[in-house]
Amino acid sequence: MAVDYAVIVIYLAGMLAMGWWGMRRARSKSEFLVAGRRLGPAMYSGTMAAIVLGGASTIGGVGLGYQYGLSGAWMVFTIGLGLLALSVFFSARIARLKVYTVSEMLDLRYGGRAGVISGVVMWAYTLMLAVTSTIAYATIFDVLFDMNRTLAIILGGSIVVAYSTLGGMWSITLTDMVQFVVKTIGVLLLLLPIAVVKAGGFGEMKAKLPTTYFDPLGIGGETIFTYVLIYTFGMLIGQDIWQRVFTARSDTTARWGGTVAGTYCLVYALAGAVIGTAAKVLYPKLPSADAAFATIVKDELPVGVRGLVLAAALAAVMSTSSGALIACATVANNDIWSRLRGAVSRDSGGDDDHDEVRGNRAFILVMGIAVIGTAIALNNVVEALTVAYNLLVGGLLVPILGGLLWKRGTAQGALAAVVVGGLAVIGLMAGYGILANEPVYYGLAASLAVYVAVSLATPATDPALLAAWRERLAGRGACEPVSEPVPAHQ
């Protein structure tokens, strides 16, 4: 394993080096939080694909393929569909707002009354998303170094916290580009064909497995519907995703770059399911479906290639973890702490000075330590991720999409939707169980009903506020300084 170890160590050292380089670029709030809003199509597509395809999409996607066959692709497939919908229908308008957080968008649309509560919900979601990604380090480092779970979480988490704290979004963007390339080579170009060949090809796979493994709907219609509701809609409103949209240098970049990333996700989804199906042929009696990825990598790949593919899995986890971490810190600082101190301005542009960079850097460090500590304390990744997405969709989907699509929606309606939807999801998870489908179904329905009813029962939003909102959507109302263009050689 010496060669494999060398590949991993070089990769991790490279991540830290990128963090140090990014620190030199992140000299303003805009540079630190949204990479100066100047990413071109190539970098935007790569980093967007990197953040949405994390450990759950890689290790979990292969595990679903092992358990259900080709229909196991649906979880990651719905993530890709959500990214496509966001890019085609909403990303241009979101990018033109020139804000830093989802709650700032709600402030602009509704008049600043739902910001703190929506910020708390979004903070809980991003925190749990970062925690679940950090827990995944234990699986990968256990395969690599037979490492203690706690030590693995501390090692992997510390590297992510270090480069994220140093350079903010610039460091995360650079590392995500490397991670995107490593994932493409490791999973799509190496592991996928090797797994199929080792399993004897598709003919042999069909001969050895039940026909349900090759049924596109074999995982079940209700499960697919739940994936759409949670992951497709979750992609539309998550702070971690929106913060990447904010990095695009133009509407066209946000729309077409995101479309390319969404299409890549669809391909990645099918690849993971095929790899898992091949693993089922090779190892029909694994104790856990989630062990399929690590097992096939460890036993079937040659030296060196094995290290690169494990680096790909590490890259998947790191990209999601770092994206969720900076989103969590941004929400904690800009939407909760600043508001509680009474220091937030109704205008989202803000002052891009060094004090704000230091403040955001400190929040990433503090949130990173909290994420590592929580990851050590928790064991069940699936439950933590389910809680995060249920809260996000049940509490924030309706007021966010309602604000973008329905001019009659009011601040009172939005606030009621956040509170009722969030509390309904929490109560229903306590009654039905965390992994049940009913909490998000009924919670979302309650949020929608309350939003419409309260909005219609309260005075319409001030026309002047709506006019200012439309100006921002058109890209004419933002006051944030424009960054200088990046020289071509950089």
Side-chain angles (χ1 to χ4, degrees), residues 161-385:
V161 171
Y163 73 68
S164 300
T165 302
L166 285 172
M169 187 59 81
W170 265 123
S171 295
I172 292 171
T173 296
L174 295 171
T175 54
D176 277 359
M177 279 305 298
V178 174
Q179 289 158 357
F180 170 74
V181 172
V182 171
K183 280 193 286 192
T184 301
I185 296 173
V187 175
L188 296 185
L189 302 183
L190 292 176
L191 182 57
L192 174 61
I194 290 174
V196 172
V197 170
K198 291 283 187 177
F202 283 102
E204 188 70 14
M205 290 162 63
K206 285 186 176 181
K208 290 187 175 181
L209 294 173
T211 56
T212 55
Y213 268 72
F214 301 92
D215 179 358
L217 304 178
I219 199 170
E222 184 179 355
T223 299
I224 295 171
F225 178 73
T226 303
Y227 285 158
V228 170
L229 203 59
I230 294 177
Y231 297 114
T232 300
F233 286 116
M235 287 295 106
L236 298 180
I237 58 174
Q239 170 68 24
D240 52 324
I241 309 302
W242 276 41
Q243 200 156 344
R244 295 310 173 95
V245 176
F246 301 152
T247 66
R249 72 183 179 199
S250 68
D251 300 353
T252 303
T253 297
R255 182 181 295 111
W256 292 108
T259 300
V260 170
T263 305
Y264 178 90
C265 291
L266 304 183
V267 175
Y268 200 88
L270 185 59
V274 171
I275 293 168
T277 305
K280 184 67 175 179
V281 174
L282 294 168
Y283 312 99
K285 297 189 182 297
L286 287 178
S288 166
D290 285 340
F293 179 87
T295 303
I296 196 169
V297 168
K298 190 173 183 179
D299 293 349
E300 303 297 335
L301 298 186
V303 172
V305 173
R306 178 172 50 203
L308 183 60
V309 173
L310 286 172
L314 197 57
V317 175
M318 282 186 150
S319 56
T320 300
S321 181
S322 59
L325 176 59
I326 193 172
C328 179
T330 302
V331 170
N333 188 13
N334 291 267
D335 293 337
I336 301 175
W337 177 244
S338 293
R339 294 168 192 267
L340 294 177
R341 291 174 55 207
V344 70
S345 168
R346 290 304 171 107
D347 186 276
S348 61
D351 295 321
D352 284 350
D353 57 27
H354 293 286
D355 287 340
E356 290 192 86
V357 172
R358 283 197 292 268
N360 282 289
R361 185 172 280 139
F363 264 86
I364 290 180
L365 180 60
V366 171
M367 290 298 106
I369 294 171
V371 164
I372 292 172
T374 307
I376 292 172
L378 291 181
N379 285 315
N380 197 314
V381 178
V382 176
E383 288 191 359
L385 193 62

